Amino acid sequence: MNTQMLLSFLGAVAANNNRPWFKAHKDDYLMAKADFEDGIGKAIAAISEFDEEISHLKVSDTVYRFYRDTRFSPDKSPYKRHFGAYICAKGKKSLRGGYYIHVEPGACLLACGSYWLPTNILTSCRNEIMANIDEWRRCVESKAFLKYFGRPSGNGFETSRGFGMSMLKTCPAGFPRDYEFLDYLRLKDYCCWTPVADDFFEGNRWLDEACKVFKAAKPMMDFMKSVIDDYE
């Protein structure tokens, strides 16, 4: 990717988030969009080498719209301040885990897993963890997983890296309060992320490092897919 061009455009959008400015700079948007999508196409090909389930995806299946839905938001800015793509075998709206790529000035990151899960599926995931705790720990306590994501935090993207966007303050209902690995049950999602530098995506060299990050998270995602697939 041409990160200098992408970040320059996104910085300009953040400073001029209105329709007249955007219309006047539509060519800049189309150029940035094409560059980002080219990078995502290469990412799909690279990830497919270790996760064949996503090999059928087209770039259009993964990239989020740049136009914001402002109907229910107090922020009426019409455009996003980032480019994002979610590479998931069952699509962007699936509950199933996938690979997320986020380009934003000062906030670039790689993320994996399931961001939001309904209570009934969360309960099933928690039961699965308890029933197979040794396997689960091999997934989320591996050297590579801890290096990139750390342990359950529940602090969202406010942390430099993380596992779990949010956590219950106490034990979930119906589960033992004295369970040794309670933090894994308190998670309200099974998403993990790691920040990267603004110039991380420059050129094509980033693909190898991104795949290392995604490979570290894949065992955790596969564990959860075995539960989530029963609901989708």
Side-chain angles (χ1 to χ4, degrees), residues 44-226:
I44 292 171
I47 295 168
S48 294
E49 294 184 7
F50 63 88
D51 189 347
E52 294 182 357
E53 288 187 339
I54 61 98
S55 60
H56 68 283
L57 294 173
K58 302 185 295 293
V59 171
S60 58
D61 298 322
T62 68
V63 175
Y64 287 106
R65 295 177 72 249
F66 195 67
Y67 303 88
R68 296 182 64 248
D69 182 352
T70 62
R71 290 174 298 173
F72 308 107
S73 173
D75 179 3
K76 298 304 179 182
S77 302
Y79 310 108
K80 295 178 180 177
R81 298 167 177 82
H82 67 271
F83 286 111
Y86 187 53
I87 302 171
C88 176
K90 292 192 175 182
K92 296 193 292 287
K93 295 183 179 181
S94 173
L95 297 176
R96 210 167 194 255
Y99 310 94
Y100 179 63
I101 295 171
H102 184 97
V103 177
E104 179 180 2
C108 294
L109 61 84
L110 301 171
C112 313
S114 298
Y115 173 69
W116 179 87
L117 293 171
T119 301
N120 61 325
I121 300 181
L122 266 178
T123 299
S124 294
C125 290
R126 290 162 177 159
N127 283 321
E128 190 73 10
I129 289 172
M130 287 194 68
N132 300 278
I133 187 59
D134 290 340
E135 179 186 351
W136 174 251
R137 291 183 67 200
R138 283 193 291 272
C139 295
V140 300
E141 295 179 10
S142 69
K143 183 177 180 180
F145 191 94
L146 293 175
K147 171 186 175 182
Y148 291 117
F149 312 115
R151 297 185 181 275
S153 60
N155 293 325
F157 294 146
E158 296 175 3
T159 56
S160 59
R161 59 176 181 164
F163 177 29
M165 292 290 292
S166 58
M167 297 176 72
L168 295 172
K169 292 182 178 180
T170 59
C171 176
F175 290 87
R177 293 180 177 274
D178 59 350
Y179 185 57
E180 182 179 359
F181 305 105
L182 185 60
D183 278 354
Y184 294 131
L185 307 185
R186 291 172 54 219
L187 289 170
K188 297 171 70 175
D189 61 83
Y190 293 95
C191 173
C192 55
W193 65 93
T194 190
V196 295
D198 278 2
D199 62 356
F200 175 84
F201 297 103
E202 185 64 34
N204 293 324
R205 290 179 298 175
W206 65 275
L207 293 166
D208 288 340
E209 185 60 29
C211 284
K212 291 179 185 178
V213 174
F214 292 148
K215 284 179 181 178
K218 188 175 184 297
M220 182 274 290
M221 292 197 299
D222 288 344
F223 186 103
M224 285 306 169
K225 287 175 188 176
S226 67

